[in-house]
mmCIF file of all heavy atoms in Angstrom:
data_model
loop_
_atom_site.group_PDB
_atom_site.id
_atom_site.type_symbol
_atom_site.label_atom_id
_atom_site.label_comp_id
_atom_site.label_asym_id
_atom_site.label_seq_id
_atom_site.Cartn_x
_atom_site.Cartn_y
_atom_site.Cartn_z
ATOM 1 N N PRO A 178 99.336 79.808 100.675
ATOM 2 C CA PRO A 178 97.818 79.800 100.633
ATOM 3 C C PRO A 178 97.204 79.797 99.235
ATOM 4 O O PRO A 178 96.379 79.070 98.991
ATOM 5 C CB PRO A 178 97.437 81.018 101.446
ATOM 6 C CG PRO A 178 98.587 81.232 102.415
ATOM 7 C CD PRO A 178 99.885 80.902 101.595
ATOM 8 N N ILE A 179 97.804 80.592 98.338
ATOM 9 C CA ILE A 179 97.251 80.610 97.081
ATOM 10 C C ILE A 179 97.489 79.475 96.342
ATOM 11 O O ILE A 179 96.607 78.938 95.522
ATOM 12 C CB ILE A 179 97.675 82.038 96.317
ATOM 13 C CG1 ILE A 179 96.813 82.333 95.109
ATOM 14 C CG2 ILE A 179 99.135 81.913 95.834
ATOM 15 C CD1 ILE A 179 95.474 82.966 95.493
ATOM 16 N N GLY A 180 98.811 78.955 96.437
ATOM 17 C CA GLY A 180 99.102 77.661 95.811
ATOM 18 C C GLY A 180 98.192 76.544 96.202
ATOM 19 O O GLY A 180 97.764 75.585 95.430
ATOM 20 N N LEU A 181 97.975 76.469 97.491
ATOM 21 C CA LEU A 181 97.075 75.350 98.104
ATOM 22 C C LEU A 181 95.650 75.551 97.563
ATOM 23 O O LEU A 181 95.015 74.597 97.185
ATOM 24 C CB LEU A 181 97.136 75.343 99.580
ATOM 25 C CG LEU A 181 98.605 75.157 100.230
ATOM 26 C CD1 LEU A 181 98.503 75.312 101.757
ATOM 27 C CD2 LEU A 181 99.050 73.658 99.996
ATOM 28 N N ALA A 182 95.227 76.781 97.513
ATOM 29 C CA ALA A 182 93.876 76.981 97.086
ATOM 30 C C ALA A 182 93.873 76.560 95.429
ATOM 31 O O ALA A 182 92.739 76.032 95.058
ATOM 32 C CB ALA A 182 93.473 78.473 97.156
ATOM 33 N N ALA A 183 94.895 76.762 94.740
ATOM 34 C CA ALA A 183 94.928 76.259 93.351
ATOM 35 C C ALA A 183 94.866 74.713 93.385
ATOM 36 O O ALA A 183 94.172 74.240 92.409
ATOM 37 C CB ALA A 183 96.294 76.773 92.759
ATOM 38 N N ILE A 184 95.561 74.071 94.280
ATOM 39 C CA ILE A 184 95.511 72.639 94.254
ATOM 40 C C ILE A 184 94.019 72.153 94.567
ATOM 41 O O ILE A 184 93.572 71.238 93.772
ATOM 42 C CB ILE A 184 96.467 72.042 95.373
ATOM 43 C CG1 ILE A 184 97.933 72.269 94.860
ATOM 44 C CG2 ILE A 184 96.238 70.587 95.604
ATOM 45 C CD1 ILE A 184 98.885 72.012 95.913
ATOM 46 N N VAL A 185 93.441 72.766 95.448
ATOM 47 C CA VAL A 185 92.099 72.337 95.917
ATOM 48 C C VAL A 185 91.073 72.471 94.664
ATOM 49 O O VAL A 185 90.237 71.687 94.274
ATOM 50 C CB VAL A 185 91.608 73.172 97.114
ATOM 51 C CG1 VAL A 185 90.115 72.904 97.329
ATOM 52 C CG2 VAL A 185 92.446 72.715 98.289
ATOM 53 N N THR A 186 91.267 73.711 94.091
ATOM 54 C CA THR A 186 90.180 74.063 92.860
ATOM 55 C C THR A 186 90.591 73.319 91.621
ATOM 56 O O THR A 186 89.673 72.984 90.863
ATOM 57 C CB THR A 186 90.103 75.510 92.705
ATOM 58 O OG1 THR A 186 91.361 76.075 92.584
ATOM 59 C CG2 THR A 186 89.542 76.161 93.937
ATOM 60 N N ALA A 187 91.892 73.081 91.459
ATOM 61 C CA ALA A 187 92.399 72.316 90.153
ATOM 62 C C ALA A 187 91.721 70.776 90.302
ATOM 63 O O ALA A 187 91.288 70.268 89.305
ATOM 64 C CB ALA A 187 93.743 72.122 90.117
ATOM 65 N N ARG A 188 91.643 70.289 91.442
ATOM 66 C CA ARG A 188 91.082 68.971 91.641
ATOM 67 C C ARG A 188 89.609 68.887 91.059
ATOM 68 O O ARG A 188 89.072 67.818 90.721
ATOM 69 C CB ARG A 188 91.198 68.386 93.061
ATOM 70 C CG ARG A 188 92.612 68.133 93.401
ATOM 71 C CD ARG A 188 92.775 67.575 94.841
ATOM 72 N NE ARG A 188 91.831 66.334 94.990
ATOM 73 C CZ ARG A 188 92.255 65.181 94.647
ATOM 74 N NH1 ARG A 188 93.599 64.852 94.171
ATOM 75 N NH2 ARG A 188 91.511 64.038 94.731
ATOM 76 N N LEU A 189 88.846 70.000 91.107
ATOM 77 C CA LEU A 189 87.456 69.939 90.666
ATOM 78 C C LEU A 189 87.375 69.656 89.150
ATOM 79 O O LEU A 189 86.267 69.306 88.703
ATOM 80 C CB LEU A 189 86.930 71.303 90.958
ATOM 81 C CG LEU A 189 86.880 71.882 92.352
ATOM 82 C CD1 LEU A 189 86.472 73.230 92.405
ATOM 83 C CD2 LEU A 189 85.960 70.983 93.296
ATOM 84 N N LEU A 190 88.423 69.808 88.485
ATOM 85 C CA LEU A 190 88.525 69.583 87.048
ATOM 86 C C LEU A 190 89.202 68.348 86.607
ATOM 87 O O LEU A 190 89.535 68.053 85.418
ATOM 88 C CB LEU A 190 89.188 70.798 86.245
ATOM 89 C CG LEU A 190 88.371 72.113 86.488
ATOM 90 C CD1 LEU A 190 89.114 73.293 85.984
ATOM 91 C CD2 LEU A 190 87.008 71.995 85.814
ATOM 92 N N ALA A 191 89.481 67.355 87.534
ATOM 93 C CA ALA A 191 89.877 66.010 87.364
ATOM 94 C C ALA A 191 91.149 65.843 86.512
ATOM 95 O O ALA A 191 91.237 65.147 85.560
ATOM 96 C CB ALA A 191 88.786 65.269 86.616
ATOM 97 N N PRO A 192 92.249 66.650 86.877
ATOM 98 C CA PRO A 192 93.539 66.339 86.284
ATOM 99 C C PRO A 192 94.109 65.001 86.647
ATOM 100 O O PRO A 192 93.677 64.370 87.673
ATOM 101 C CB PRO A 192 94.394 67.456 86.849
ATOM 102 C CG PRO A 192 93.861 67.772 88.124
ATOM 103 C CD PRO A 192 92.362 67.658 87.963
ATOM 104 N N GLU A 193 94.957 64.460 85.921
ATOM 105 C CA GLU A 193 95.608 63.125 86.201
ATOM 106 C C GLU A 193 96.451 63.273 87.440
ATOM 107 O O GLU A 193 96.409 62.340 88.478
ATOM 108 C CB GLU A 193 96.400 62.582 85.081
ATOM 109 C CG GLU A 193 97.022 61.294 85.397
ATOM 110 C CD GLU A 193 97.980 60.816 84.177
ATOM 111 O OE1 GLU A 193 97.960 61.387 83.188
ATOM 112 O OE2 GLU A 193 98.508 59.707 84.423
ATOM 113 N N ARG A 194 97.178 64.252 87.609
ATOM 114 C CA ARG A 194 98.101 64.489 88.788
ATOM 115 C C ARG A 194 98.362 65.916 88.983
ATOM 116 O O ARG A 194 98.378 66.798 88.040
ATOM 117 C CB ARG A 194 99.456 63.691 88.559
ATOM 118 C CG ARG A 194 100.198 64.206 87.443
ATOM 119 C CD ARG A 194 101.627 63.525 87.241
ATOM 120 N NE ARG A 194 101.510 62.127 87.019
ATOM 121 C CZ ARG A 194 101.404 61.622 85.774
ATOM 122 N NH1 ARG A 194 101.518 62.431 84.661
ATOM 123 N NH2 ARG A 194 101.343 60.409 85.436
ATOM 124 N N ILE A 195 98.545 66.249 90.238
ATOM 125 C CA ILE A 195 98.894 67.544 90.570
ATOM 126 C C ILE A 195 100.285 67.419 91.449
ATOM 127 O O ILE A 195 100.368 66.753 92.293
ATOM 128 C CB ILE A 195 97.964 68.333 91.465
ATOM 129 C CG1 ILE A 195 96.653 68.383 90.807
ATOM 130 C CG2 ILE A 195 98.468 69.840 92.007
ATOM 131 C CD1 ILE A 195 95.469 68.912 91.625
ATOM 132 N N VAL A 196 101.385 68.290 90.958
ATOM 133 C CA VAL A 196 102.605 68.331 91.615
ATOM 134 C C VAL A 196 102.729 69.615 92.307
ATOM 135 O O VAL A 196 102.696 70.662 91.604
ATOM 136 C CB VAL A 196 103.741 68.016 90.652
ATOM 137 C CG1 VAL A 196 105.124 67.892 91.291
ATOM 138 C CG2 VAL A 196 103.407 66.628 89.811
ATOM 139 N N ALA A 197 103.108 69.547 93.540
ATOM 140 C CA ALA A 197 103.361 70.931 94.262
ATOM 141 C C ALA A 197 104.899 71.096 94.463
ATOM 142 O O ALA A 197 105.470 70.039 94.833
ATOM 143 C CB ALA A 197 102.676 70.899 95.714
ATOM 144 N N VAL A 198 105.251 72.168 94.269
ATOM 145 C CA VAL A 198 106.868 72.608 94.393
ATOM 146 C C VAL A 198 106.839 73.705 95.465
ATOM 147 O O VAL A 198 106.251 74.749 95.373
ATOM 148 C CB VAL A 198 107.341 73.057 93.015
ATOM 149 C CG1 VAL A 198 108.774 73.420 93.228
ATOM 150 C CG2 VAL A 198 107.123 71.977 91.936
ATOM 151 N N ASP A 199 107.792 73.586 96.388
ATOM 152 C CA ASP A 199 108.059 74.600 97.390
ATOM 153 C C ASP A 199 109.385 74.176 98.168
ATOM 154 O O ASP A 199 109.852 73.090 97.968
ATOM 155 C CB ASP A 199 106.877 74.667 98.557
ATOM 156 C CG ASP A 199 106.735 76.046 99.124
ATOM 157 O OD1 ASP A 199 107.557 76.261 100.090
ATOM 158 O OD2 ASP A 199 105.919 76.763 98.776
ATOM 159 N N LEU A 200 109.858 75.277 98.931
ATOM 160 C CA LEU A 200 111.133 74.990 99.587
ATOM 161 C C LEU A 200 110.741 74.512 101.018
ATOM 162 O O LEU A 200 111.622 73.867 101.744
ATOM 163 C CB LEU A 200 111.827 76.256 99.684
ATOM 164 C CG LEU A 200 112.610 76.708 98.416
ATOM 165 C CD1 LEU A 200 113.036 78.249 98.671
ATOM 166 C CD2 LEU A 200 113.735 75.857 98.093
ATOM 167 N N ALA A 201 109.570 74.818 101.597
ATOM 168 C CA ALA A 201 109.213 74.378 102.879
ATOM 169 C C ALA A 201 108.547 72.969 102.963
ATOM 170 O O ALA A 201 107.544 72.687 102.374
ATOM 171 C CB ALA A 201 108.314 75.477 103.504
ATOM 172 N N ALA A 202 109.143 72.152 103.767
ATOM 173 C CA ALA A 202 108.592 70.845 103.996
ATOM 174 C C ALA A 202 107.138 70.879 104.675
ATOM 175 O O ALA A 202 106.305 70.093 104.280
ATOM 176 C CB ALA A 202 109.489 70.001 104.888
ATOM 177 N N SER A 203 106.955 71.747 105.513
ATOM 178 C CA SER A 203 105.547 71.920 106.070
ATOM 179 C C SER A 203 104.441 72.231 105.045
ATOM 180 O O SER A 203 103.378 71.770 105.024
ATOM 181 C CB SER A 203 105.532 72.960 107.244
ATOM 182 O OG SER A 203 105.966 74.135 106.728
ATOM 183 N N ARG A 204 104.910 73.112 104.116
ATOM 184 C CA ARG A 204 103.812 73.393 103.086
ATOM 185 C C ARG A 204 103.766 72.358 102.036
ATOM 186 O O ARG A 204 102.611 72.196 101.542
ATOM 187 C CB ARG A 204 104.271 74.819 102.328
ATOM 188 C CG ARG A 204 104.157 75.959 103.316
ATOM 189 C CD ARG A 204 104.379 77.321 102.641
ATOM 190 N NE ARG A 204 103.772 78.360 103.483
ATOM 191 C CZ ARG A 204 103.642 79.553 103.128
ATOM 192 N NH1 ARG A 204 103.971 79.942 101.907
ATOM 193 N NH2 ARG A 204 103.217 80.488 103.954
ATOM 194 N N LEU A 205 104.576 71.538 101.805
ATOM 195 C CA LEU A 205 104.608 70.411 100.921
ATOM 196 C C LEU A 205 103.738 69.393 101.516
ATOM 197 O O LEU A 205 102.859 68.697 100.949
ATOM 198 C CB LEU A 205 105.903 69.841 100.577
ATOM 199 C CG LEU A 205 106.836 70.678 99.785
ATOM 200 C CD1 LEU A 205 108.235 70.082 99.443
ATOM 201 C CD2 LEU A 205 106.124 71.088 98.392
ATOM 202 N N GLU A 206 103.838 69.249 102.886
ATOM 203 C CA GLU A 206 102.897 68.233 103.606
ATOM 204 C C GLU A 206 101.532 68.792 103.523
ATOM 205 O O GLU A 206 100.573 67.929 103.346
ATOM 206 C CB GLU A 206 103.392 68.157 105.055
ATOM 207 C CG GLU A 206 102.517 67.222 105.828
ATOM 208 C CD GLU A 206 102.432 65.744 105.345
ATOM 209 O OE1 GLU A 206 103.331 65.330 104.782
ATOM 210 O OE2 GLU A 206 101.298 65.228 105.419
ATOM 211 N N ALA A 207 101.337 70.084 103.733
ATOM 212 C CA ALA A 207 99.885 70.671 103.538
ATOM 213 C C ALA A 207 99.472 70.448 102.225
ATOM 214 O O ALA A 207 98.202 70.107 101.948
ATOM 215 C CB ALA A 207 99.929 72.150 103.914
ATOM 216 N N ALA A 208 100.242 70.416 101.202
ATOM 217 C CA ALA A 208 99.828 70.254 99.692
ATOM 218 C C ALA A 208 99.302 68.909 99.541
ATOM 219 O O ALA A 208 98.396 68.521 99.103
ATOM 220 C CB ALA A 208 100.986 70.526 98.778
ATOM 221 N N ARG A 209 100.101 67.888 100.215
ATOM 222 C CA ARG A 209 99.723 66.387 100.174
ATOM 223 C C ARG A 209 98.353 66.364 100.852
ATOM 224 O O ARG A 209 97.449 65.569 100.200
ATOM 225 C CB ARG A 209 100.650 65.578 100.843
ATOM 226 C CG ARG A 209 101.916 65.380 100.024
ATOM 227 C CD ARG A 209 102.667 64.239 100.811
ATOM 228 N NE ARG A 209 104.025 63.846 100.028
ATOM 229 C CZ ARG A 209 104.084 63.095 99.032
ATOM 230 N NH1 ARG A 209 102.952 62.637 98.458
ATOM 231 N NH2 ARG A 209 105.258 62.889 98.451
ATOM 232 N N ARG A 210 98.095 66.900 101.959
ATOM 233 C CA ARG A 210 96.732 66.820 102.661
ATOM 234 C C ARG A 210 95.630 67.376 101.934
ATOM 235 O O ARG A 210 94.521 66.830 101.867
ATOM 236 C CB ARG A 210 96.951 67.486 103.957
ATOM 237 C CG ARG A 210 97.858 66.940 105.028
ATOM 238 C CD ARG A 210 97.489 67.405 106.527
ATOM 239 N NE ARG A 210 97.378 68.767 106.563
ATOM 240 C CZ ARG A 210 98.446 69.587 106.862
ATOM 241 N NH1 ARG A 210 99.618 69.069 107.107
ATOM 242 N NH2 ARG A 210 98.424 70.899 106.913
ATOM 243 N N LEU A 211 95.966 68.433 101.067
ATOM 244 C CA LEU A 211 94.902 69.130 100.220
ATOM 245 C C LEU A 211 94.738 68.536 98.869
ATOM 246 O O LEU A 211 93.978 68.990 98.211
ATOM 247 C CB LEU A 211 95.185 70.517 100.230
ATOM 248 C CG LEU A 211 94.878 71.257 101.627
ATOM 249 C CD1 LEU A 211 95.450 72.630 101.758
ATOM 250 C CD2 LEU A 211 93.372 71.219 101.933
ATOM 251 N N GLY A 212 95.527 67.558 98.410
ATOM 252 C CA GLY A 212 95.219 66.856 97.227
ATOM 253 C C GLY A 212 96.299 66.709 96.266
ATOM 254 O O GLY A 212 96.077 66.246 95.096
ATOM 255 N N ALA A 213 97.539 67.162 96.611
ATOM 256 C CA ALA A 213 98.602 67.071 95.644
ATOM 257 C C ALA A 213 98.984 65.591 95.478
ATOM 258 O O ALA A 213 99.110 64.894 96.547
ATOM 259 C CB ALA A 213 99.818 67.826 96.140
#
Side-chain angles (χ1 to χ4, degrees):
I179 198 74
L181 295 174
I184 290 168
V185 170
T186 52
R188 286 184 61 83
L189 301 174
L190 297 171
E193 180 181 356
R194 62 176 69 89
I195 300 172
V196 182
V198 180
D199 203 284
L200 287 168
S203 61
R204 291 193 165 189
L205 293 177
E206 178 57 34
R209 282 192 183 277
R210 292 197 307 269
L211 289 167

